[in-house]
Amino acid sequence: MVNIDTNDKKDITTLLWFRLSEDLNSEPLTIEIDTLLKGDMNSYLQKVKNGICAPNEKVAASMIIKRYAFFAAMSFFTMSHSDRALNVKTSNITLVSHYEDGNWLPKFYFKDLSFHPMQGDRKKWREQYVKDVFAHHIFLLIEKISKTAKISKLILWENIAVYLFWLYENVLESNAERKEIVREDFNYLFFEAPGHLFGAYNHNPLSKYDSKKIYHQQTEKYIRIRKTCCFSYKLEGSNKRCSICPCYQLSEEGRCQNEQSFCSTIRSIDE
């Protein structure tokens, strides 16, 4: 890695928790993002499908974006925590394959791992950074994966939204000195940022996923139930759903169709 200032070591250590990778490897699922966007997405989906023992391309596609949500979390952590931006260009990022306890948990390698301090008006700076992260990066990935795997973008965007809720409501909320900024950034990302900052949208694609939290007896916590199923329970060796899966409620009501293709829980959401 290049362009690393010695004063940034603490922040780099923190980003390791967000699955920052300090090294590359030659694993079959390691790939540069530009290569993925410009190349054969179907071929990569097949590799992921086989690598994680997914039953079909839709499950593989959902897992790719679910893992990729950590890139979004990492990017906005630096924004809200310290008013600094990462180089989030697709040409700068490599998805580095990594497994932990049998689970595919890829990491992110930055060719240029440098932190760019906020300049000028914060609101304008934040607007451009959100556009760089979403419209110029994540949107492109979601569009290509969605078309290739024929999976609803509603599922893929919620995979991103879930980890941004986690970032702002669990990780950043403890920073008392930045409390007001964290709240403002959260509201901006989910409710105020216009659709064009996220890609070819008229409306913010994240706003539809906010909902009132309910008490979950098994975890003894208040949780926000997803509006779509991410299909992770269909992975080989996984026989249970996520604690925030909407299918729990559908199952209790006798309405769960248990389909691999298109979860019925997304049909009530306008895309």
Side-chain angles (χ1 to χ4, degrees):
M1 292 180 287
V2 296
N3 298 333
I4 301 177
D5 189 279
T6 54
N7 295 326
D8 295 333
K9 289 183 178 179
K10 182 177 180 181
D11 294 281
I12 292 173
T13 299
T14 302
L15 293 187
L16 292 174
W17 189 60
F18 286 93
R19 298 178 188 166
L20 172 71
S21 178
E22 296 184 290
D23 302 293
L24 290 170
N25 62 40
S26 57
E27 295 295 322
L29 300 186
T30 292
I31 189 168
E32 293 183 352
I33 299 306
D34 262 6
T35 299
L36 184 59
L37 290 173
K38 297 174 183 177
D40 185 357
M41 177 65 77
N42 186 62
S43 175
Y44 187 70
L45 278 171
Q46 294 299 323
K47 289 181 180 179
V48 173
K49 173 187 165 185
N50 295 331
I52 66 175
C53 298
N56 54 48
E57 291 76 13
K58 288 182 174 63
V59 176
S62 182
M63 291 304 101
I64 291 172
I65 298 300
K66 192 169 184 178
R67 303 306 183 227
Y68 216 83
F70 266 76
F71 170 77
M74 181 191 305
S75 301
F76 291 119
F77 173 83
T78 65
M79 179 186 83
S80 297
H81 181 265
S82 55
D83 286 331
R84 298 199 295 176
L86 293 168
N87 180 347
V88 294
K89 293 180 180 179
T90 57
S91 59
N92 192 44
I93 310 300
T94 297
L95 189 67
V96 179
S97 187
H98 174 74
Y99 288 84
E100 288 184 19
D101 299 325
N103 297 313
W104 186 58
L105 300 174
K107 298 183 178 183
F108 304 90
Y109 177 83
F110 289 68
K111 296 176 184 177
D112 166 30
L113 182 57
S114 54
F115 298 85
H116 305 277
M118 176 188 68
Q119 295 183 352
D121 180 76
R122 190 178 190 278
K123 290 184 178 180
K124 291 182 179 179
W125 171 80
R126 179 181 62 187
E127 177 181 314
Q128 183 59 52
Y129 190 51
V130 170
K131 189 173 185 179
D132 289 341
V133 173
F134 285 123
H136 297 159
H137 192 133
I138 292 176
F139 168 76
L140 303 177
L141 194 57
I142 285 179
E143 281 290 296
K144 188 160 187 178
I145 285 182
S146 174
K147 290 178 181 178
T148 305
K150 295 180 175 57
I151 183 173
S152 172
K153 291 189 288 290
L154 292 169
I155 295 172
L156 305 184
W157 276 110
E158 187 163 24
N159 287 351
I160 300 293
V162 164
Y163 283 95
L164 290 181
F165 280 128
W166 165 76
L167 172 69
Y168 281 94
E169 296 178 338
N170 297 93
V171 178
L172 289 169
E173 68 169 0
S174 61
N175 190 336
E177 295 180 359
R178 305 278 297 182
K179 187 174 182 178
E180 190 61 33
I181 290 176
V182 167
R183 184 183 297 112
E184 289 178 0
D185 286 350
F186 172 82
N187 288 332
Y188 183 74
L189 279 174
F190 280 94
F191 310 112
E192 299 170 6
H196 70 86
L197 298 185
F198 297 85
Y201 295 110
N202 292 322
H203 303 287
N204 184 326
L206 299 180
S207 60
K208 66 187 67 178
Y209 301 112
D210 184 42
S211 61
K212 184 178 180 180
K213 293 183 179 181
I214 64 172
Y215 185 72
H216 188 247
Q217 291 185 343
Q218 291 183 343
T219 60
E220 297 182 341
K221 296 179 180 179
Y222 282 90
I223 60 175
R224 181 184 288 102
I225 298 295
R226 285 184 60 124
K227 291 179 168 56
T228 68
C229 176
C230 71
F231 301 148
S232 63
Y233 76 99
K234 291 188 175 294
L235 294 174
E236 185 176 294
S238 177
N239 297 315
K240 62 180 182 179
R241 299 178 186 271
C242 306
S243 62
I244 59 175
C245 183
C247 296
Y248 275 127
Q249 290 182 313
L250 291 177
S251 180
E252 290 179 358
E253 298 168 2
R255 297 191 294 117
C256 183
Q257 297 182 20
N258 197 28
E259 297 175 350
Q260 291 185 351
S261 57
F262 192 73
C263 183
S264 62
T265 57
I266 71 173
R267 295 175 183 161
S268 62
I269 310 174
D270 295 327
E271 188 166 9

